[in-house]
Amino acid sequence: MRQCTERILDLSSGQVVLREGHSDGVPELTEKQFTTFLGPVARLILIGAGDLSRFMTEIALGLGFEVLICDPREGQLEGWNGQAVTLSQEMPDDLILHVQPDARTAVVALTHDPKLDDLALMDALRSKAFYVGAIGSRQNSRMRRDRLNQHFGLSHRELDRLRSPAGIFIGCKTPAEIALSIMAELVAVKNGIEQGRSNSVAIGKSRYPTRQ
């Protein structure tokens, strides 16, 4: 079970108390105790097994993420054997319901196919996932939001959690650069930093226009 744990050390007695903690807990030292937070490694679920997934996987593994790649399309997972990732040919929405993303999980849809992305995004946005993103042009992102609202009943509050187009603006021109852009935003959110909200340079307000 993926659960975060709060560890409280009494500095005078050395006694340790363990209890359920917060996924984003920050170590705290007082005169009497030292509190730390232990939890499962960050997990990244990628919907789609194309070139962009490979670049994102390389970055994510280097950052210590556990990576799960889901793609039910015939032949898409060929060549992934031997990689330090978990592979699934389930329908993405079935996988999301099975996995039940927690507060240490990010979900990114990369297929450009509404039949694969939309239902998975719907379930992910209703989960505890700390980051939910999808690639696509601005126009396609608006259309996706409309579909999720009109056909699946997602509220505006739930849709506000969707990062689409995913990534921060760095003038992306290649899959590798797009992967870097998405992972940069994802890690920032994991670390509690909102690009373009608290920073003076609003690099998060203008997303890259992924080609269709």
Side-chain angles (χ1 to χ4, degrees):
M1 181 178 179
R2 290 172 53 89
Q3 179 174 314
C4 294
T5 302
E6 182 178 1
R7 182 180 185 273
I8 303 172
L9 170 64
D10 187 302
L11 297 179
S12 59
S13 68
Q15 182 178 1
V16 173
V17 175
L18 300 177
R19 64 189 183 191
E20 185 175 352
H22 303 289
S23 63
D24 57 352
V26 177
E28 180 181 4
L29 177 63
T30 67
E31 293 182 358
K32 296 183 178 180
Q33 64 185 34
F34 179 47
T35 303
T36 55
F37 294 85
L38 310 172
V41 298
R43 176 172 58 186
L44 174 60
I45 299 176
L46 298 176
I47 310 300
D51 289 340
L52 181 51
S53 296
R54 291 186 181 276
F55 287 114
M56 287 188 64
T57 295
E58 290 180 9
I59 298 173
L61 291 176
L63 292 170
F65 279 75
E66 171 188 321
V67 180
L68 194 161
I69 299 172
C70 177
D71 200 322
R73 297 173 295 182
E74 188 69 28
Q76 288 296 309
L77 292 177
E78 292 181 3
W80 282 90
N81 292 331
Q83 299 281 346
V85 299
T86 300
L87 305 177
S88 172
Q89 286 188 298
E90 291 181 81
M91 288 299 293
D93 55 312
D94 290 335
L95 174 73
I96 296 299
L97 288 175
H98 171 72
V99 170
Q100 287 295 305
D102 55 29
R104 294 281 292 170
T105 301
V107 180
V108 185
L110 304 173
T111 73
H112 289 294
D113 185 345
K115 296 189 298 295
L116 299 179
D117 290 346
D118 284 6
L119 289 175
L121 289 171
M122 176 191 72
D123 293 325
L125 289 168
R126 288 173 171 164
S127 74
K128 296 180 180 180
F130 74 86
Y131 181 97
V132 181
I135 61 171
S137 65
R138 294 179 185 275
Q139 179 179 355
N140 280 352
S141 294
R142 286 193 295 269
M143 293 171 61
R144 178 187 293 116
R145 290 176 187 274
D146 288 341
R147 289 195 306 270
L148 290 172
N149 175 247
Q150 296 174 14
H151 300 304
F152 304 115
L154 264 70
S155 67
H156 291 294
R157 182 177 181 179
E158 290 168 332
L159 288 172
D160 283 344
R161 298 187 60 218
L162 178 61
R163 309 276 173 157
S164 179
I168 61 175
F169 180 73
I170 58 173
C172 303
K173 296 181 181 179
T174 66
E177 291 176 345
I178 295 172
L180 176 62
S181 167
I182 297 173
M183 289 303 302
E185 181 180 58
L186 189 157
V187 170
V189 174
K190 179 178 73 70
N191 293 341
I193 299 173
E194 286 295 332
Q195 300 292 334
R197 298 184 182 181
S198 59
N199 295 344
S200 59
V201 180
I203 59 176
K205 290 184 179 179
S206 178
R207 314 281 192 216
Y208 65 87
T210 305
R211 296 179 180 177
Q212 299 299 303

